[in-house]
Amino acid sequence: HNGVGFDYGYIAQCWPDVKFPWTNTHDTMLYSRLHNNQASAKLKDIGGELWGAAATLGQDLLNRAFHDNGWDWNTVPMSVPAYSLYSGMDVVLTARLYARLEHIHSGRYRESAELEMQAARICADMSIAGMQIDREYCLDKRDMLAGYVTKMLEGLNARTGINVRSTPQLANWFLSQGAELTEKTDRGAWKMDKAVLTNLAEHGFEIATHILD
């Protein structure tokens, strides 16, 4: 599951001389997305949906071990029982999921599955190869953009007398300028999202245009 996106990349970087067995490789994450592209493609989510809480027990125990001991993926000892259970369940769930997705990899949608695998392999190779960048140029542009944003915010704050990054202050300022606001969040606060600001800009509020920029 996610063999192309993760396992292949890890093997290629750690053991570059190993020839990856593409002809015998399947990826149930890709197949799951072909089966239902609106559902989660995470193995534990699929397992929980299909086989209940037992499928996510390893994940739950490992999360608890992380929390109780302050571990993360880089520091958790491989000897921790929860880690072994988590890893073992991955194999079991993937095998069971592969069997359930037979209509994708070996049936009606086989051609689509093969196309997805080929495309995923190309994308994985591109990701591993990376691309050359001019680091100094990128850092200069980052600093220039950060300076532009800071200057713009300072100017907008000076013009309005508020902190324009504060949603409540910004909403109250627009109301004081005669704006008509109609949308609120679930908690009853005025919305100041892109759609609202775009509408305000279209109604002549220049400040909204600058904030969108």
Side-chain angles (χ1 to χ4, degrees), residues 6-18:
F6 178 79
D7 297 271
Y8 169 58
Y10 186 85
I11 292 172
Q13 293 185 59
C14 294
W15 301 284
D17 295 330
V18 172

Side-chain angles (χ1 to χ4, degrees), residues 21-40:
W22 284 109
T23 56
N24 298 322
T25 298
H26 296 270
D27 193 331
T28 49
M29 175 177 277
L30 295 180
Y31 299 159
S32 297
R33 286 176 171 150
L34 286 173
H35 174 71
N36 184 352
N37 64 6
Q38 295 183 329
S40 171

Side-chain angles (χ1 to χ4, degrees), residues 5-118:
F6 178 79
D7 297 271
Y8 169 58
Y10 186 85
I11 292 172
Q13 293 185 59
C14 294
W15 301 284
D17 295 330
V18 172
K19 186 176 180 180
F20 199 77
W22 284 109
T23 56
N24 298 322
T25 298
H26 296 270
D27 193 331
T28 49
M29 175 177 277
L30 295 180
Y31 299 159
S32 297
R33 286 176 171 150
L34 286 173
H35 174 71
N36 184 352
N37 64 6
Q38 295 183 329
S40 171
K42 295 179 179 179
L43 183 60
K44 301 306 186 299
D45 290 349
I46 297 172
E49 182 70 24
L50 293 176
W51 300 296
T56 63
L57 178 60
Q59 177 75 76
D60 297 338
L61 291 176
L62 187 58
N63 287 340
R64 188 181 306 167
F66 279 4
H67 178 270
D68 292 345
N69 297 280
W71 293 327
D72 57 25
W73 290 109
N74 293 320
T75 58
V76 58
M78 294 183 67
S79 59
V80 173
Y83 198 6
S84 299
L85 179 60
Y86 169 88
S87 303
M89 284 302 297
D90 269 10
V91 179
V92 174
L93 294 175
T94 299
R96 294 189 67 179
L97 182 58
Y98 178 79
R100 289 187 68 105
L101 295 172
E102 183 179 5
H103 61 293
I104 300 294
H105 57 74
S106 303
R108 180 179 179 183
Y109 303 102
R110 180 176 178 177
E111 289 187 5
S112 297
E114 291 177 348
L115 179 61
E116 285 292 321
M117 285 294 296
Q118 292 167 7

Side-chain angles (χ1 to χ4, degrees), residues 84-170:
S84 299
L85 179 60
Y86 169 88
S87 303
M89 284 302 297
D90 269 10
V91 179
V92 174
L93 294 175
T94 299
R96 294 189 67 179
L97 182 58
Y98 178 79
R100 289 187 68 105
L101 295 172
E102 183 179 5
H103 61 293
I104 300 294
H105 57 74
S106 303
R108 180 179 179 183
Y109 303 102
R110 180 176 178 177
E111 289 187 5
S112 297
E114 291 177 348
L115 179 61
E116 285 292 321
M117 285 294 296
Q118 292 167 7
R121 177 182 178 180
I122 293 171
C123 291
D125 284 335
M126 292 170 61
S127 178
I128 293 169
M131 60 183 294
Q132 291 186 338
I133 63 170
D134 186 331
R135 186 172 184 273
E136 188 173 326
Y137 173 84
C138 292
L139 292 174
D140 287 343
K141 289 298 180 181
R142 180 201 64 183
D143 294 340
M144 183 181 73
L145 179 59
Y148 170 80
V149 171
T150 298
K151 185 176 180 180
M152 175 67 74
L153 288 174
E154 290 175 349
L156 292 175
N157 289 344
R159 288 179 61 182
T160 59
I162 63 168
N163 176 7
V164 295
R165 301 183 71 176
S166 166
T167 298
Q169 291 184 37
L170 187 60

